[in-house]
Amino acid sequence: MRAMELQAIGGPLRHVEREVPRPGPGELLIEISACGVCRTDLHIIDGDIRDHLPVVPGHEIVGRIVEKGPDTPGVSIGDRVGVPWLGRTCGQCRYCRAGQENLCDDPLFTGFNRNGGFASHCIANTAFCFSIPGQFSDAEATPLLCAGLIGYRSLRLAGNPRRLGLYGFGAAAHILTQVALWQGREVYAFTRPGDTDGQTFARALGCVWAGGSDQAAPQELDAAIIFAPVGALVPLALRAVHKGGRLVCGGIHMSDIPAFPYADLWGERALLSVANLTRADGEEFLRIAAEIPVETRTHDFPLEQANEAVAAVRAGALQGAAVLIPPS
């Protein structure tokens, strides 16, 4: 198998060749067709979140089952599946028992503490794979598996807003905008200051307003979601949300939040974070994405150009999602 491996924090991904792994009990061997590049992959590369190295990043994986280990009911060789960030949970801790497997005390995360999808093959737990709706191509489906899933969970935690603000308009926001509009909401897009291309893209998707994150919202918002990993946006977004509204931080990592006056939070505003996903989130979201249907904008890169794809995501140079395509 071929892979692009992270060997040192902050270093480039290195092309490596390894023996194809064999699946164990409850596991599948997946031949990867496409893998999205997510903001979380940048946090792993930069060391913002850390586990063992070396590791193969990537957790928006679409591929086909080529080998099954023992105890893998309900799937067949050749089935197309999606492999998300949450790769396994313990099933025993207080959170798993309470139906909050996204908060598991002893999880495995794809592309973080288990090798992921910047590769030609990967191992995945059967119970944590998703069936991909047929109308999505392999590349189109990849951003649904994290950008879409986390965006959807963030929207659920935001309550039932009529006016929704999205701060950071990348892969997650361009999917969530379509979901929110389908639900009858108004969407206000906040991009990097001066990103006129991103603002044009947001308006083309149906946002009622788009501007820089340094601009005030033209209307009080019922809720806002921050996808950009920028803590300084929290006070700005809180001031845009009316009393009783919610602000959801949708990323796994964010720079420090600066001090802000209590008055910005007062009035029963709520500030909360989203952690990971549950399998129920994924199944519900993928049904909705197929029903709408969501249209994802993707930019394909050969697997060997993973460093270029990562750089493009880091620079915010893409309208939509970067996707790595392994050699056939």
Side-chain angles (χ1 to χ4, degrees):
M1 63 170 282
R2 299 179 182 181
M4 297 297 290
E5 186 177 76
L6 178 66
Q7 299 175 348
I9 293 300
L13 301 173
R14 304 287 187 185
H15 181 267
V16 297
E17 295 190 7
R18 299 279 190 266
E19 292 293 325
V20 175
R22 301 296 302 276
E27 294 181 337
L28 305 171
L29 173 64
I30 310 295
E31 184 173 18
I32 298 169
S33 305
C35 182
V37 180
C38 177
R39 174 67 60 174
T40 301
D41 296 317
L42 273 63
H43 294 315
I44 294 167
I45 292 168
D46 294 342
D48 297 323
I49 57 174
R50 299 190 181 209
D51 206 280
H52 69 271
L53 293 178
V55 71
V56 178
H59 55 274
E60 296 179 332
I61 303 168
V62 175
R64 285 159 181 81
I65 301 170
V66 293
E67 187 177 348
K68 298 170 52 177
D71 191 23
T72 52
V75 295
S76 301
I77 301 298
D79 284 355
R80 185 172 73 148
V81 294
V83 184
W85 169 249
L86 186 62
R88 190 211 68 191
T89 59
C90 72
Q92 302 297 321
C93 70
R94 58 182 290 191
Y95 300 106
C96 288
R97 294 197 306 270
Q100 296 175 292
E101 64 184 10
N102 60 307
L103 302 178
C104 174
D105 283 333
D106 186 26
L108 275 181
F109 294 118
T110 309
F112 181 47
N113 47 23
R114 160 182 269 180
N115 283 333
F118 290 8
S120 59
H121 298 77
C122 73
I123 295 292
N125 281 59
T126 310
F128 288 84
C129 293
F130 295 118
S131 178
I132 301 296
Q135 61 261 60
F136 299 110
S137 72
D138 296 338
E140 289 169 343
T142 59
L144 301 176
L145 291 165
C146 187
L149 284 174
I150 292 300
Y152 182 67
R153 185 172 179 86
S154 299
L155 179 58
R156 288 179 57 202
L157 292 182
N160 186 28
R162 184 168 72 89
R163 295 185 178 126
L164 174 68
L166 301 180
Y167 286 77
F169 208 85
H174 98 283
I175 294 171
L176 189 59
T177 292
Q178 297 174 64
V179 176
L181 293 174
W182 178 74
Q183 293 174 334
R185 310 183 196 281
E186 296 178 3
V187 181
Y188 297 75
F190 297 82
T191 71
R192 296 183 184 189
D195 182 7
T196 56
D197 288 344
Q199 292 158 23
T200 299
F201 179 42
R203 287 189 287 268
L205 285 173
C207 293
V208 298
W209 179 89
S213 58
D214 56 343
Q215 296 178 251
Q219 303 277 352
E220 274 195 322
L221 304 176
D222 301 314
I225 301 171
I226 299 177
F227 292 118
V230 182
L233 291 175
V234 170
L236 296 176
L238 270 177
R239 289 195 287 271
V241 172
H242 66 55
K243 289 185 286 186
R246 294 185 179 185
L247 173 59
V248 181
C249 299
I252 196 170
H253 172 81
M254 180 178 278
S255 59
D256 289 347
I257 300 170
F260 57 88
Y262 176 63
D264 291 346
L265 182 62
W266 189 78
E268 298 192 354
R269 294 174 179 86
L271 172 62
L272 63 160
S273 69
V274 166
N276 312 314
L277 69 143
T278 68
R279 285 170 284 181
D281 291 331
E283 291 162 1
E284 182 177 327
F285 169 68
L286 289 171
R287 285 196 301 269
I288 290 173
E291 183 177 349
I292 294 174
V294 166
E295 295 183 8
T296 57
R297 181 175 294 193
T298 60
H299 305 266
D300 294 353
F301 294 79
L303 176 64
E304 291 77 10
Q305 292 181 16
N307 288 301
E308 289 83 348
V310 166
V313 173
R314 188 188 303 280
L318 305 176
Q319 293 177 3
V323 178
L324 299 180
I325 307 296
S328 57

